[in-house]
């Protein structure tokens, strides 16, 4: 019974993500208006058949902006999690497997990075690298490495003294082979969960950074930036804030449900 | 006579250095292993028998533990040769099976991949040749329906089957020496007997020398010709099984022999009539 509920969570989450993927894809395929095209006559146009989500303060099409914004949010989250996972796994595996001095040094650096809130840390990197999409990916990616490293380290630590690792060593397997072929597959369940949660956090972190104006640069759309612009017109044009917010909720909800289903 | 000795351990001392005060767990361990011989290593828990075995298998950490003495295999001292050289011997010439067959198998890998692993590490055989070899060894350890078992995961098998898989993995490279560290302790008695029989069969067919570690003297007496008795890190007695059983010199050995459970239940008259 409990298993069934978990499965429903996964199916629901996966469907939401599939829906969002199709939505993003539709933005690339359908002949919609350019998300950055300004038309003064359409300023604050109400949602209608011609403009399903309405238009914003510059008369830009909100539908195509939400589509474009979801795409950039999605890609930034993907890049962030990718960087976090790759470096997290390498650092976590090395520290967890070998222990000793490497472990001490890397984990203390990790602690130092971990001590800062990731947004603050990302702000620090942005101020060094300058604002922009790629900079956001790098900044958030670095901020995400410690949490992945910590999770992977714990798993490697747990597994390295297991008999099957001893057996692998006895077969004459090298350290690299043991780490990649024998231990890594055993960490996948935990890692997958961490990736999905990380994805969620990355979506939210990107949105908050764009909301603060240091993420995706105007005029390019991003969900966070649209929300921050829509603040001023919350009562005049509630649809301006509603649709990007909805897209953000669906992205986070979809990944959240999926990661839920992996928990024990 | 000297020629057929394949493993020679001289004055092996093992000292733990992971605490402030070093602790010695094995003192002056000597062993000469002849080709195709089965030697029993008995003693209570903590007597150092597993430690000596792990040292021979080259599994003890080089950092935390200080080892003195020599372990000669094929003219090389396993304690001082380089890691790469040691790796080429491990799994190839010296194999080991452990007590707990569940944790010895990687839970997320199929049986086939695990049995095949030594071939991937030590040989250049192609896929089909590897498959043939895996199938052959699985048949040799008396597994029923090896084609099916290959595709299963460890949790789907019984304890006895898992131990057979472990033996298959250890034997696939046809090693000269097999170290069996209490291979039957986690199994029930009928399976124990099967595993012991299997080890004996492999020993006879392939002339693999076996170091059989156990605290079960009755098992050792059925399998081995020679036995070493260990206590608190020292070898207290060694010699042919028969001599030690019939005329134990040490008090400790006598106690161990006395500890073998004997079945002498009075069945009562009702059953003896028939």
């Amino acid at each position: 019974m409990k298993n069934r509920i978990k499965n429903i969570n996964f199916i629901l989450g996966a469907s939401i993500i599939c829906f969002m993927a199709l939505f993003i894809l539709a933005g690339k395929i359908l002949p919609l208006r350019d998300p950055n095209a300004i038309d003064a006559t359409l300023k604050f146009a109400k949602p209608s058949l011609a403009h399903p989500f309405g238009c914003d303060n510059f008369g830009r099409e909100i539908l195509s902006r939400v589509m474009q914004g979801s795409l950039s949010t999605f890609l930034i989250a993907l890049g962030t999690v990718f960087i976090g996972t790759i470096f997290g796994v390498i650092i976590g595996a090395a520290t967890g497997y070998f222990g000793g001095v490497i472990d001490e040094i890397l984990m203390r650096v990790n602690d130092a990075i971990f001590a800062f809130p990731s947004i603050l840390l990302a702000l620090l990197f942005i101020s060094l690298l300058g604002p922009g999409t790629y900079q956001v990916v790098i900044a958030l990616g670095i901020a995400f490495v410690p949490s992945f490293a910590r999770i992977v380290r714990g798993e490697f630590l747990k597994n390295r003294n297991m008999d099957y690792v001893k057996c692998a060593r006895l077969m004459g397997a090298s350290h690299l082979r043991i780490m990649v072929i024998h231990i890594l597959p055993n960490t996948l369940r935990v890692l997958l969960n961490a990736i999905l949660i990380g994805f969620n956090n990355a979506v939210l972190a990107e949105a908050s950074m764009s909301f603060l104006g240091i993420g995706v640069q105007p005029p390019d759309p991003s969900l966070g930036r649209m929300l921050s612009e829509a603040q001023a017109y919350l009562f005049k044009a509630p649809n301006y804030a509603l649709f990007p917010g909805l897209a953000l909720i669906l992205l986070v909800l979809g990944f959240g449900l999926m990661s839920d289903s992996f928990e024990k | 006579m000297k020629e057929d000795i394949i493993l020679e351990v001289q004055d092996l001392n093992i000292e733990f250095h992971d605490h402030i005060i070093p602790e010695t767990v094995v003192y002056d361990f000597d062993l000469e292993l002849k080709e195709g011989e089965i030697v029993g290593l008995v003693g209570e828990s903590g007597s150092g028998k597993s430690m000596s075995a792990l040292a021979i298998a080259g599994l003890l950490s080089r950092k935390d533990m200080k080892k003195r003495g020599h372990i000669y295999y094929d003219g090389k001292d396993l304690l001082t040769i380089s890691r790469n050289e040691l790796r080429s011997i491990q799994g190839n010439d010296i194999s080991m099976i452990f007590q707990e067959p569940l944790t010895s198998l990687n839970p997320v890998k199929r049986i086939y991949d695990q049995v095949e692993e030594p071939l991937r590490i030590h040989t250049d055989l192609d896929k089909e040749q590897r498959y043939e070899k895996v199938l052959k060894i699985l048949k040799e350890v008396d597994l029923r329906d090896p084609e099916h078992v290959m595709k299963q995961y460890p949790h789907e098998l019984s304890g006895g089957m898992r131990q057979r898989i472990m033996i298959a993995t250890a034997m696939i490279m046809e090693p000269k020496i097999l170290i069996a560290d209490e291979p039957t302790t986690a199994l029930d008695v009928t399976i124990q007997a099967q595993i012991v029989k299997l080890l004996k069969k492999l020993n006879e067919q392939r002339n693999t020398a076996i170091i059989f570690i156990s605290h079960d003297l009755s098992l050792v007496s059925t399998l081995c010709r020679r036995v070493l008795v260990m206590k608190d890190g020292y070898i207290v007695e060694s010699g042919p099984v028969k001599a030690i059983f019939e005329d134990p010199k040490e008090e400790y050995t006598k106690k161990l022999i006395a500890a073998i459970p004997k079945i002498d239940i009075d069945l009562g008259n009702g059953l003896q009539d028939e």
Side-chain angles (χ1 to χ4, degrees):
Chain A
M1 187 61 204
K2 223 165 180 186
N3 235 331
R4 174 98 21 113
I5 295 173
K6 300 261 140 118
N7 269 336
I8 288 173
N9 274 354
F10 185 81
I11 294 166
L12 211 63
S15 326
I16 292 173
I17 295 304
C18 283
F19 171 75
M20 284 309 290
L22 285 177
F23 179 71
I24 291 167
L25 210 64
K28 287 275 147 199
I29 295 169
L30 293 180
L32 292 167
R33 272 179 67 207
D34 177 7
N36 293 338
I38 295 172
D39 186 342
T41 59
L42 290 171
K43 195 173 173 186
F44 293 123
K46 291 273 169 277
S48 64
L49 228 61
H51 311 287
F53 286 7
C55 293
D56 69 1
N57 52 333
F58 292 113
R60 294 176 296 194
E61 185 74 37
I62 292 179
L63 176 63
S64 47
R65 283 182 74 75
V66 170
M67 285 170 165
Q68 183 68 33
S70 301
L71 177 66
S72 54
T73 300
F74 188 82
L75 289 182
I76 288 172
L78 202 69
T80 302
V81 171
F82 186 75
I83 293 178
T85 310
I86 296 290
F87 288 97
V89 166
I90 293 172
I91 294 173
T95 55
Y97 184 78
F98 291 113
V101 185
I102 320 171
D103 185 26
E104 280 301 320
I105 294 171
L106 282 175
M107 287 325 279
R108 293 300 81 79
V109 172
N110 222 352
D111 284 342
I113 296 178
F114 215 47
F116 289 95
S118 57
I119 289 284
L120 191 65
L121 193 72
L123 279 175
L124 183 78
F125 284 114
I126 290 292
S127 59
L128 290 173
L129 300 168
T133 312
Y134 294 110
Q135 285 88 329
V136 171
V137 173
I138 294 170
L140 283 178
I142 294 171
F144 272 55
V145 167
S147 61
F148 280 105
R150 198 157 277 270
I151 289 164
V152 174
R153 175 181 178 269
E155 285 295 302
F156 268 75
L157 208 57
K158 197 176 82 190
N159 276 287
R160 76 163 177 195
N161 287 324
M162 303 266 271
D163 278 347
Y164 77 84
V165 173
K166 244 189 236 170
C167 283
R169 270 173 64 197
L170 197 66
M171 289 172 200
S174 62
H175 289 309
L176 193 66
R177 189 175 175 88
I178 290 172
M179 283 157 79
V180 176
I181 292 185
H182 294 273
I183 303 184
L184 194 60
N186 276 290
T187 65
L188 276 189
R189 199 190 68 84
V190 176
L191 193 60
L192 210 59
N193 200 3
I195 287 173
L196 288 171
I197 292 173
F199 217 97
N200 250 345
N201 292 339
V203 166
L204 289 177
E206 187 281 323
S208 9
M209 286 178 72
S210 295
F211 188 89
L212 295 174
I214 49 176
V216 177
Q217 289 306 294
D220 287 336
S222 133
L223 296 179
R225 168 158 290 280
M226 288 175 79
L227 279 176
S228 98
E229 281 166 1
Q231 264 188 120
Y233 316 106
L234 211 50
F235 293 103
K236 201 171 175 194
N239 55 315
Y240 191 9
L242 183 69
F243 292 110
L246 212 59
L248 202 57
I249 288 172
L250 284 179
L251 271 179
V252 173
L253 188 69
F255 285 114
L257 284 174
M258 269 160 84
S259 76
D260 250 11
S261 67
F262 280 105
E263 246 149 51
K264 250 193 184 153
Chain B
M1 198 64 200
K2 195 85 183 160
E3 269 110 69
D4 58 1
I5 288 174
I6 49 171
L7 182 82
E8 199 176 356
V9 184
Q10 291 173 351
D11 298 324
L12 178 68
N13 284 267
I14 302 171
E15 233 175 73
F16 273 93
H17 277 267
D18 52 353
H19 297 290
I20 298 164
I21 307 160
E23 194 183 348
T24 310
V25 288
V26 174
Y27 299 91
D28 307 329
F29 184 92
D30 286 300
L31 173 70
E32 280 183 354
L33 191 65
K34 291 187 197 111
E35 216 178 319
E37 189 185 27
I38 306 181
V39 172
L41 195 54
V42 295
E44 60 192 3
S45 303
S47 59
K49 51 192 188 336
S50 291
M51 272 299 153
S52 319
L54 288 174
I56 294 168
L59 273 185
L60 291 183
S61 137
R62 293 189 167 191
K63 207 166 43 193
D64 300 334
M65 271 161 250
K66 211 165 148 189
K67 282 157 280 180
R68 264 175 294 125
H70 306 280
I71 300 174
Y72 289 114
Y73 172 82
D74 200 16
K76 283 173 272 191
D77 190 344
L78 297 188
L79 290 181
T80 51
I81 57 172
S82 73
R83 272 240 179 262
N84 281 336
E85 257 184 293
L86 182 63
R87 262 187 215 128
S88 69
I89 290 173
Q90 284 178 331
N92 207 349
D93 295 336
I94 302 178
S95 277
M96 187 162 175
I97 51 178
F98 296 96
Q99 179 175 342
E100 187 54 69
L102 179 57
T103 55
S104 306
L105 291 166
N106 192 332
V108 300
K109 296 185 90 183
R110 286 176 200 278
I111 298 302
Y112 177 77
D113 295 322
Q114 312 212 23
V115 179
E116 186 198 32
E117 180 75 1
L119 294 177
R120 281 178 171 267
I121 295 169
H122 294 288
T123 68
D124 307 318
L125 299 177
D126 62 35
K127 222 175 159 188
E128 274 151 43
Q129 287 171 310
R130 289 204 301 261
Y131 182 85
E132 287 301 313
K133 277 209 137 185
V134 171
L135 194 62
K136 188 166 159 259
I137 194 81
L138 287 182
K139 277 181 185 153
E140 219 164 308
V141 295
D142 301 330
L143 272 170
R144 260 169 281 150
D145 199 2
E147 280 100 344
H148 178 62
V149 170
M150 253 179 214
K151 296 185 202 108
Q152 289 182 301
Y153 288 96
H155 70 269
E156 296 174 282
L157 305 177
S158 70
M161 287 166 92
R162 284 184 206 133
Q163 196 58 284
R164 282 169 201 275
I165 300 291
M166 282 316 298
I167 294 172
T169 311
M171 291 301 293
I172 197 163
M173 294 304 296
E174 309 194 1
K176 298 258 168 43
I177 302 165
L178 176 70
I179 302 166
D181 188 359
E182 308 217 15
T184 58
T185 308
L187 307 171
D188 57 49
V189 182
T190 49
I191 309 292
Q192 264 185 24
Q194 290 173 15
I195 295 290
V196 168
K197 212 182 270 174
L198 172 65
L199 286 175
K200 199 150 196 172
K201 183 184 107 181
L202 291 171
N203 165 257
E204 278 159 10
Q205 282 176 356
R206 304 193 166 198
N207 209 25
T208 305
I210 298 177
I211 301 176
F212 188 83
I213 302 169
S214 181
H215 54 248
D216 187 343
L217 271 182
S218 60
L219 213 57
V220 170
S221 67
T222 60
L223 187 67
C224 314
R225 250 157 282 153
R226 207 152 61 85
V227 67
L228 306 173
V229 183
M230 283 190 84
K231 190 196 183 209
D232 297 338
Y234 290 97
I235 296 177
V236 289
E237 197 162 355
S238 68
V241 168
K242 231 178 168 184
I244 285 189
F245 264 75
E246 278 162 13
D247 181 25
K249 301 266 180 315
E250 289 287 321
E251 199 53 40
Y252 181 66
T253 317
K254 283 180 194 163
K255 277 187 188 162
L256 275 182
I257 292 168
I260 299 173
K262 290 179 191 71
I263 302 170
D264 41 312
I265 307 164
D266 184 13
L267 291 172
N269 292 330
L271 282 168
Q272 281 176 354
D273 287 346
E274 290 278 326

